PDB file of all heavy atoms in Angstrom:
ATOM      1  N   ASP A 153     -23.791  31.386  -8.060  1.00  0.00           N
ATOM      2  CA  ASP A 153     -24.094  32.051  -9.219  1.00  0.00           C
ATOM      3  C   ASP A 153     -24.711  33.523  -8.851  1.00  0.00           C
ATOM      4  O   ASP A 153     -24.863  33.888  -7.760  1.00  0.00           O
ATOM      5  CB  ASP A 153     -25.032  31.352 -10.193  1.00  0.00           C
ATOM      6  CG  ASP A 153     -26.419  31.037  -9.656  1.00  0.00           C
ATOM      7  OD1 ASP A 153     -26.786  31.792  -8.680  1.00  0.00           O
ATOM      8  OD2 ASP A 153     -27.111  30.186 -10.197  1.00  0.00           O
ATOM      9  N   GLU A 154     -25.028  34.245  -9.895  1.00  0.00           N
ATOM     10  CA  GLU A 154     -25.528  35.613  -9.637  1.00  0.00           C
ATOM     11  C   GLU A 154     -26.896  35.726  -8.829  1.00  0.00           C
ATOM     12  O   GLU A 154     -27.230  36.769  -8.225  1.00  0.00           O
ATOM     13  CB  GLU A 154     -25.713  36.343 -10.987  1.00  0.00           C
ATOM     14  CG  GLU A 154     -26.749  35.829 -11.950  1.00  0.00           C
ATOM     15  CD  GLU A 154     -26.194  34.641 -12.743  1.00  0.00           C
ATOM     16  OE1 GLU A 154     -25.028  34.187 -12.590  1.00  0.00           O
ATOM     17  OE2 GLU A 154     -26.952  33.999 -13.485  1.00  0.00           O
ATOM     18  N   THR A 155     -27.598  34.588  -8.799  1.00  0.00           N
ATOM     19  CA  THR A 155     -28.874  34.626  -8.014  1.00  0.00           C
ATOM     20  C   THR A 155     -28.608  34.026  -6.670  1.00  0.00           C
ATOM     21  O   THR A 155     -29.545  34.058  -5.812  1.00  0.00           O
ATOM     22  CB  THR A 155     -29.915  33.753  -8.710  1.00  0.00           C
ATOM     23  OG1 THR A 155     -29.494  32.349  -8.676  1.00  0.00           O
ATOM     24  CG2 THR A 155     -30.127  34.180 -10.138  1.00  0.00           C
ATOM     25  N   GLY A 156     -27.411  33.688  -6.236  1.00  0.00           N
ATOM     26  CA  GLY A 156     -27.107  33.125  -4.877  1.00  0.00           C
ATOM     27  C   GLY A 156     -27.306  31.701  -4.822  1.00  0.00           C
ATOM     28  O   GLY A 156     -27.073  31.094  -3.752  1.00  0.00           O
ATOM     29  N   ASP A 157     -27.631  31.044  -5.954  1.00  0.00           N
ATOM     30  CA  ASP A 157     -27.760  29.544  -5.939  1.00  0.00           C
ATOM     31  C   ASP A 157     -26.361  28.954  -6.060  1.00  0.00           C
ATOM     32  O   ASP A 157     -25.436  29.625  -6.606  1.00  0.00           O
ATOM     33  CB  ASP A 157     -28.652  29.044  -7.162  1.00  0.00           C
ATOM     34  CG  ASP A 157     -30.087  29.403  -6.831  1.00  0.00           C
ATOM     35  OD1 ASP A 157     -30.554  29.435  -5.579  1.00  0.00           O
ATOM     36  OD2 ASP A 157     -30.886  29.566  -7.772  1.00  0.00           O
ATOM     37  N   MET A 158     -26.272  27.646  -5.722  1.00  0.00           N
ATOM     38  CA  MET A 158     -24.921  26.934  -5.814  1.00  0.00           C
ATOM     39  C   MET A 158     -25.287  25.828  -6.923  1.00  0.00           C
ATOM     40  O   MET A 158     -25.804  24.765  -6.583  1.00  0.00           O
ATOM     41  CB  MET A 158     -24.545  26.370  -4.462  1.00  0.00           C
ATOM     42  CG  MET A 158     -23.189  25.745  -4.591  1.00  0.00           C
ATOM     43  SD  MET A 158     -22.529  25.381  -2.834  1.00  0.00           S
ATOM     44  CE  MET A 158     -23.842  24.250  -2.327  1.00  0.00           C
ATOM     45  N   PRO A 159     -24.951  26.071  -8.081  1.00  0.00           N
ATOM     46  CA  PRO A 159     -25.340  25.150  -9.253  1.00  0.00           C
ATOM     47  C   PRO A 159     -24.553  23.794  -9.210  1.00  0.00           C
ATOM     48  O   PRO A 159     -24.887  22.883  -9.778  1.00  0.00           O
ATOM     49  CB  PRO A 159     -25.004  25.953 -10.512  1.00  0.00           C
ATOM     50  CG  PRO A 159     -23.985  26.950 -10.088  1.00  0.00           C
ATOM     51  CD  PRO A 159     -24.302  27.297  -8.734  1.00  0.00           C
ATOM     52  N   ILE A 160     -23.375  23.790  -8.437  1.00  0.00           N
ATOM     53  CA  ILE A 160     -22.595  22.540  -8.422  1.00  0.00           C
ATOM     54  C   ILE A 160     -22.073  22.457  -6.976  1.00  0.00           C
ATOM     55  O   ILE A 160     -21.565  23.348  -6.416  1.00  0.00           O
ATOM     56  CB  ILE A 160     -21.468  22.697  -9.464  1.00  0.00           C
ATOM     57  CG1 ILE A 160     -20.519  21.405  -9.493  1.00  0.00           C
ATOM     58  CG2 ILE A 160     -20.586  23.869  -9.293  1.00  0.00           C
ATOM     59  CD1 ILE A 160     -19.656  21.338 -10.635  1.00  0.00           C
ATOM     60  N   GLY A 161     -22.025  21.240  -6.523  1.00  0.00           N
ATOM     61  CA  GLY A 161     -21.541  20.938  -5.171  1.00  0.00           C
ATOM     62  C   GLY A 161     -20.008  21.028  -5.131  1.00  0.00           C
ATOM     63  O   GLY A 161     -19.241  20.926  -6.041  1.00  0.00           O
ATOM     64  N   ASN A 162     -19.534  21.170  -3.847  1.00  0.00           N
ATOM     65  CA  ASN A 162     -18.108  21.403  -3.727  1.00  0.00           C
ATOM     66  C   ASN A 162     -17.209  20.139  -4.193  1.00  0.00           C
ATOM     67  O   ASN A 162     -16.136  20.305  -4.681  1.00  0.00           O
ATOM     68  CB  ASN A 162     -17.648  21.774  -2.236  1.00  0.00           C
ATOM     69  CG  ASN A 162     -17.912  20.648  -1.278  1.00  0.00           C
ATOM     70  OD1 ASN A 162     -17.013  19.855  -1.045  1.00  0.00           O
ATOM     71  ND2 ASN A 162     -19.064  20.527  -0.728  1.00  0.00           N
ATOM     72  N   ASP A 163     -17.868  18.931  -4.079  1.00  0.00           N
ATOM     73  CA  ASP A 163     -17.134  17.753  -4.446  1.00  0.00           C
ATOM     74  C   ASP A 163     -17.083  17.639  -6.008  1.00  0.00           C
ATOM     75  O   ASP A 163     -16.091  17.335  -6.525  1.00  0.00           O
ATOM     76  CB  ASP A 163     -17.771  16.514  -3.828  1.00  0.00           C
ATOM     77  CG  ASP A 163     -19.274  16.520  -3.813  1.00  0.00           C
ATOM     78  OD1 ASP A 163     -19.942  17.376  -4.398  1.00  0.00           O
ATOM     79  OD2 ASP A 163     -19.822  15.598  -3.161  1.00  0.00           O
ATOM     80  N   PHE A 164     -18.272  18.010  -6.680  1.00  0.00           N
ATOM     81  CA  PHE A 164     -18.240  17.933  -8.080  1.00  0.00           C
ATOM     82  C   PHE A 164     -17.355  18.994  -8.706  1.00  0.00           C
ATOM     83  O   PHE A 164     -16.675  18.875  -9.679  1.00  0.00           O
ATOM     84  CB  PHE A 164     -19.673  18.076  -8.599  1.00  0.00           C
ATOM     85  CG  PHE A 164     -20.606  16.979  -8.303  1.00  0.00           C
ATOM     86  CD1 PHE A 164     -21.970  16.999  -8.620  1.00  0.00           C
ATOM     87  CD2 PHE A 164     -20.208  15.855  -7.561  1.00  0.00           C
ATOM     88  CE1 PHE A 164     -22.816  15.977  -8.296  1.00  0.00           C
ATOM     89  CE2 PHE A 164     -21.038  14.786  -7.167  1.00  0.00           C
ATOM     90  CZ  PHE A 164     -22.360  14.910  -7.645  1.00  0.00           C
ATOM     91  N   LEU A 165     -17.341  20.154  -7.976  1.00  0.00           N
ATOM     92  CA  LEU A 165     -16.454  21.261  -8.437  1.00  0.00           C
ATOM     93  C   LEU A 165     -14.951  20.876  -8.320  1.00  0.00           C
ATOM     94  O   LEU A 165     -14.232  21.153  -9.256  1.00  0.00           O
ATOM     95  CB  LEU A 165     -16.661  22.537  -7.607  1.00  0.00           C
ATOM     96  CG  LEU A 165     -15.863  23.800  -7.958  1.00  0.00           C
ATOM     97  CD1 LEU A 165     -16.038  24.097  -9.419  1.00  0.00           C
ATOM     98  CD2 LEU A 165     -16.283  24.885  -7.021  1.00  0.00           C
ATOM     99  N   PHE A 166     -14.609  20.174  -7.240  1.00  0.00           N
ATOM    100  CA  PHE A 166     -13.265  19.664  -7.134  1.00  0.00           C
ATOM    101  C   PHE A 166     -12.885  18.748  -8.262  1.00  0.00           C
ATOM    102  O   PHE A 166     -11.765  18.834  -8.908  1.00  0.00           O
ATOM    103  CB  PHE A 166     -13.054  18.986  -5.799  1.00  0.00           C
ATOM    104  CG  PHE A 166     -11.746  18.289  -5.657  1.00  0.00           C
ATOM    105  CD1 PHE A 166     -10.593  18.956  -5.313  1.00  0.00           C
ATOM    106  CD2 PHE A 166     -11.672  16.888  -5.844  1.00  0.00           C
ATOM    107  CE1 PHE A 166      -9.389  18.352  -5.186  1.00  0.00           C
ATOM    108  CE2 PHE A 166     -10.444  16.296  -5.732  1.00  0.00           C
ATOM    109  CZ  PHE A 166      -9.328  16.935  -5.449  1.00  0.00           C
ATOM    110  N   CYS A 167     -13.835  17.859  -8.627  1.00  0.00           N
ATOM    111  CA  CYS A 167     -13.686  16.934  -9.683  1.00  0.00           C
ATOM    112  C   CYS A 167     -13.451  17.586 -11.021  1.00  0.00           C
ATOM    113  O   CYS A 167     -12.651  17.314 -11.852  1.00  0.00           O
ATOM    114  CB  CYS A 167     -14.826  15.906  -9.728  1.00  0.00           C
ATOM    115  SG  CYS A 167     -14.852  14.728  -8.391  1.00  0.00           S
TER     116      CYS A 167
END
Side-chain angles (χ1 to χ4, degrees):
D153 63 20
E154 62 281 356
T155 66
D157 288 332
M158 188 169 58
I160 182 172
N162 71 88
D163 42 9
F164 295 177
L165 179 56
F166 173 80
C167 291

